[in-house]
């Protein structure tokens, strides 16, 4: 006899009525039961109500065949039902049965059901079935001509776990045996002898033993939906929320991403407020970098598009690629704030940026020290990192400051975005990954120039905070971020290179400020507002900053 599972969401009173109809002996406090239907056993998890359902979701309501959304003609598809429907999509459940309970043989009840059924089509689910239940048991009202619930349940299919998709398995060390690693396979297939990549630690190891965790049997392979233990040929050390994959198809790694979030309350998500990101049973601190409210078609009025910054690099996938690793649960420490679908539009996979592949490399120390160079030049070397939108005035200010510093006898040089792309970075395009690599290289080159004693002025849009922070790590003590501030409207009016016009015409994809993000510096060492200042005034402001922080006044 086949064993299937489904979960009940929605309103608690309606789910209780439904549960007792399906299984009369169930008590009000029970949350799970089984009943038999057409030569199959159906296991039911009743988690209707906000608190119970969201807590269950954080522990992964994955692998379930079908979801029932229970409501009545008074509540209809209200905010709670819409939130639960959205949350269920994060679980990868594709079949939704909307059960409207307690309906009477009246025209008013028929109209209410018709409204619910028509609204359900807007949910965007692959398969939605609306079923009417009468006020007594499972018997439908006389006016209902659709499928009965029992007949609908007979056609529930086993959860579909495609194996021709990337392997994703959250992994952890077992408590009983530190040489074993256990995990629940979310998607894909794992086989004996596979070489696995563990993210975000970027370690690899080969599977030398594979066992089913519940039956302790040896396996040659295991597919999505199974809980397994694996023995590896290497002893690995990693933190929380580690994700196993195959080497040739790994998840993305990033500390910033976007998400469409359904809020659980009427509160607006707050920028720079600390939240928690639930990730496979672990908690990762995050903050909201930017947020805007979105109006949708189904009446769920608490939808937000947010840019989220994590406190550490995490492994994830866009939701459309892999639902389990592309979903999001937010918490404010005590309460569930919202759930969302992750996307990476405009942001880079940072894996290659943080992976060190060079081995057997030893640094060579210079006999000429930084102090020697500073004493001869009369100033310390450093990097003045000018960032801002295209047209803000970065290159104009940088070139003017370079001219004045040179005239004053200082060692100064400008690294300009366009100039660098003519040579060093001519092989890079403008994808998020190429933008990030462009800035990584410039950060290292800038640090080398600073090490040679130069006051190095860089003029790059450098739209991502994480990339600018990575550039800072190349020269922690001599890196000064300078925000050349001008709003999009002002920059577009200037448009010195005609790029905004081309971007608006669709000729330049991924153009910063139009179709790609720009992240404003949070705590720059200097801000130069070019909106109502002359080039001379802006250049003088940067000169004064350099004289204060880099020039030796006791030479």
């Amino acid at each position: 006899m086949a064993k299937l599972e489904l979960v009940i969401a929605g309103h608690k009173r309606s789910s209780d009525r439904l549960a007792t109809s399906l299984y009369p002996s169930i008590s009000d406090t029970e949350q799970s039961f089984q009943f038999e239907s057409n030569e199959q056993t159906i296991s039911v998890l009743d988690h209707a109500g906000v608190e119970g359902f969201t807590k269950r979701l954080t522990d992964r309501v994955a692998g379930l065949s079908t979801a029932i959304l229970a409501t009545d003609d008074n509540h209809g598809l209200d905010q709670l039902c819409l939130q639960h429907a959205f949350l269920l999509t994060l679980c990868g459940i594709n079949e939704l049965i909307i059960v409207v309970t307690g309906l009477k043989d009246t025209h008013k009840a028929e109209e209410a059901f018709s409204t619910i059924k028509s609204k359900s089509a807007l949910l965007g689910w692959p398969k939605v079935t609306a079923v009417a239940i009468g006020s007594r048991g499972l018997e439908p009202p006389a006016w209902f001509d659709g499928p009965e619930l029992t007949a609908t349940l007979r056609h529930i299919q086993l959860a579909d776990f495609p194996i021709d998709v990337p392997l994703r398995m959250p992994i952890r060390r077992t408590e009983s045996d530190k040489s074993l690693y256990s995990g629940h396979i979310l998607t894909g297939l794992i086989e004996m002898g596979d070489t696995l990549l563990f993210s975000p630690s970027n370690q690899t190891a080969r599977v030398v033993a594979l066992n089913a965790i519940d039956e302790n049997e040896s396996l040659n392979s295991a597919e999505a939906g199974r809980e397994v233990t694996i023995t590896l040929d290497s002893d690995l050390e990693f933190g929380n929320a580690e994700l196993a994959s195959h080497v040739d198809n790994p998840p993305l790694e990033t500390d910033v991403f976007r998400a469409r979030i359904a809020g659980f309350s009427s509160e607006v998500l707050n920028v720079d407020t600390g939240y928690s990101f639930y990730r496979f049973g672990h908690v990762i601190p995050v903050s909201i970098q930017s947020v805007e409210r979105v109006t949708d078609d189904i009446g769920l009025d608490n939808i937000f598009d947010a840019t989220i910054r994590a406190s550490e690099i995490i492994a994830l996938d866009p939701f459309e690629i892999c639902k389990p690793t592309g979903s999001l649960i937010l918490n404010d420490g005590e309460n569930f704030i919202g759930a969302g679908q992750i996307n990476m539009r405009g942001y880079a996979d940072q894996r290659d940026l943080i992976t060190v592949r060079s081995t057997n490399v030893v640094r060579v120390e210079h006999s000429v020290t930084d102090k020697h160079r500073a004493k001869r030049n009369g100033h310390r070397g450093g990097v003045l990192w000018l960032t801002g939108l295209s047209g803000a005035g970065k290159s104009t200010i940088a070139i003017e400051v370079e001219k004045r510093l040179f005239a004053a006898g200082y060692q100064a040089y400008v690294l300009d975005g366009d100039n660098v792309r003519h040579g060093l970075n001519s092989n890079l395009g403008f994808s998020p990954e190429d933008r990030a690599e462009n800035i990584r290289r410039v950060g290292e080159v800038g640090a080398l120039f600073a090490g040679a004693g130069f006051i190095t002025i860089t003029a790059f849009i450098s739209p991502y905070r994480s990339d600018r922070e990575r550039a800072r790590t190349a020269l922690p003590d001599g890196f000064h971020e300078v925000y050349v501030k001008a709003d999009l409207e002002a920059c577009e009016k200037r448009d010195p290179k005609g790029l905004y016009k081309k971007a608006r015409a669709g000729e330049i994809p991924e153009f910063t400020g139009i179709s790609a993000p720009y992240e404003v510096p949070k705590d720059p060492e200097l801000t130069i507002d070019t909106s109502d200042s002359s080039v001379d005034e802006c250049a003088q402001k940067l000169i004064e900053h350099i004289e204060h922080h880099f020039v030796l006044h006791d030479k």
Side-chain angles (χ1 to χ4, degrees), residues 120-357:
S120 69
L122 298 174
L123 292 174
W125 278 63
K127 184 177 181 181
V128 178
T129 304
V131 176
I133 300 296
S135 55
R136 296 182 180 180
L138 296 177
E139 181 181 344
W143 47 261
F144 180 65
D145 58 359
E148 294 184 356
L149 179 60
T150 52
T152 302
L153 295 177
R154 291 192 195 104
H155 293 91
I156 292 177
Q157 300 296 313
L158 283 168
D160 181 24
F161 290 111
I163 61 175
D164 58 343
V165 296
L167 171 68
R168 298 290 184 265
M169 180 173 69
I171 198 82
R172 61 187 180 277
R173 262 196 161 144
T174 60
E175 293 295 330
S176 57
D177 187 343
K178 295 298 183 181
S179 66
L180 292 177
Y181 303 83
S182 63
H184 185 101
I185 305 176
L186 301 176
T187 59
L189 175 73
I190 186 172
E191 297 182 291
M192 272 286 297
D194 280 353
T195 297
L196 301 181
L197 172 64
F198 299 89
S199 302
S201 66
N202 286 331
Q203 301 173 88
T204 59
R206 191 170 63 87
V207 178
V208 296
L210 178 64
N211 293 83
I213 198 169
D214 49 352
E215 299 141 7
N216 200 28
E217 63 171 312
S218 180
L219 304 171
N220 290 320
S221 64
E223 59 188 50
R226 297 205 73 167
E227 192 95 16
V228 298
T229 60
I230 56 176
T231 304
L232 303 173
D233 66 351
S234 300
D235 184 21
L236 304 183
E237 291 291 340
F238 41 65
N240 297 330
E242 199 76 13
L243 197 61
S245 70
H246 289 123
V247 176
D248 60 352
N249 207 336
L252 307 180
E253 291 185 348
T254 185
D255 61 356
V256 60
F257 54 90
R258 287 178 164 178
R260 174 154 289 188
I261 300 171
F264 292 171
S265 69
S266 60
E267 294 183 8
V268 176
L269 294 174
N270 295 314
V271 173
D272 293 332
T273 298
Y275 296 99
S276 299
F277 175 15
Y278 276 79
R279 192 73 175 160
F280 312 128
H282 302 295
V283 178
I284 299 171
V286 300
S287 62
I288 305 297
Q289 184 168 296
S290 64
V291 63
E292 60 179 311
R293 191 185 291 271
V294 177
T295 302
D296 69 355
D297 295 328
I298 62 175
L300 188 54
D301 60 9
N302 225 25
I303 297 286
F304 304 95
D305 277 343
T307 301
I308 299 173
R309 185 166 294 277
S311 61
E312 60 192 72
I313 294 288
I314 56 177
L316 51 77
D317 291 283
F319 184 78
E320 65 268 19
I321 301 298
C322 182
K323 290 182 179 179
T325 54
S327 59
L328 168 77
I329 293 290
L330 277 183
N331 188 284
D332 68 354
E334 298 180 356
N335 305 304
F336 291 95
I337 298 299
Q341 301 175 353
I342 293 171
N343 72 75
M344 288 290 290
R345 286 189 291 275
Y347 284 95
D349 179 6
Q350 298 182 37
R351 181 183 295 276
D352 286 342
L353 300 174
I354 62 175
T355 300
V356 177
R357 294 188 172 88

Side-chain angles (χ1 to χ4, degrees), residues 366-555:
H366 291 267
S367 58
V368 180
T369 67
D370 292 346
K371 287 185 177 180
H372 291 146
R373 299 180 196 277
K375 185 175 181 180
R376 170 176 289 185
N377 295 332
H379 60 80
R380 296 187 299 113
V383 172
L384 285 301
W385 192 279
L386 275 58
T387 175
L389 292 171
S390 177
K394 301 179 299 298
S395 295
T396 303
I397 295 171
I399 296 299
E400 177 65 22
V401 169
E402 179 191 43
K403 182 179 72 173
R404 297 188 188 188
L405 291 176
F406 182 79
Y410 298 138
Q411 296 276 38
Y413 191 75
V414 169
L415 292 174
D416 180 76
D418 283 356
N419 292 348
V420 169
R421 281 185 175 272
H422 274 94
L424 175 67
N425 293 345
S426 61
N427 65 323
L428 298 177
F430 291 89
S431 69
E433 287 74 21
D434 280 357
R435 286 180 184 273
E437 174 60 14
N438 181 53
I439 298 307
R440 187 195 70 80
R441 293 182 190 179
V442 172
E444 295 295 335
V445 171
L448 292 175
F449 266 82
F454 280 74
I455 295 173
T456 311
I457 307 165
T458 74
F460 290 80
I461 294 173
S462 47
Y464 307 122
R465 282 187 193 171
S466 55
D467 293 341
R468 300 193 297 265
E469 287 303 310
R470 193 172 292 111
R472 183 186 293 273
T473 62
L475 191 72
D477 297 329
F479 184 98
H480 286 218
E481 186 177 33
V482 180
Y483 176 34
V484 182
K485 181 180 179 182
D487 59 32
L488 180 61
E489 184 179 359
C491 292
E492 199 162 357
K493 283 182 179 178
R494 295 171 186 167
D495 203 8
K497 302 173 185 177
L499 299 179
Y500 283 100
K501 184 177 180 180
K502 290 182 178 180
R504 293 294 186 187
E507 297 176 23
I508 304 179
E510 301 291 342
F511 188 77
T512 302
I514 303 296
S515 52
Y518 177 77
E519 299 178 355
V520 174
K522 189 175 182 181
D523 295 303
E525 278 77 7
L526 176 65
T527 296
I528 300 176
D529 192 336
T530 65
S531 58
D532 56 1
S533 299
S534 67
V535 173
D536 182 72
E537 290 170 331
C538 293
Q540 185 58 35
K541 191 170 184 179
L542 183 54
I543 290 285
E544 290 172 359
H545 182 86
I546 292 170
E547 289 177 340
H548 181 72
H549 292 281
F550 292 91
V551 174
L552 302 182
H553 297 285
D554 56 349
K555 57 183 179 179

Side-chain angles (χ1 to χ4, degrees), residues 74-85:
N74 289 322
H75 291 99
L77 290 184
D78 61 3
Q79 288 291 302
L80 183 139
C81 286
L82 293 173
Q83 287 170 352
H84 282 194

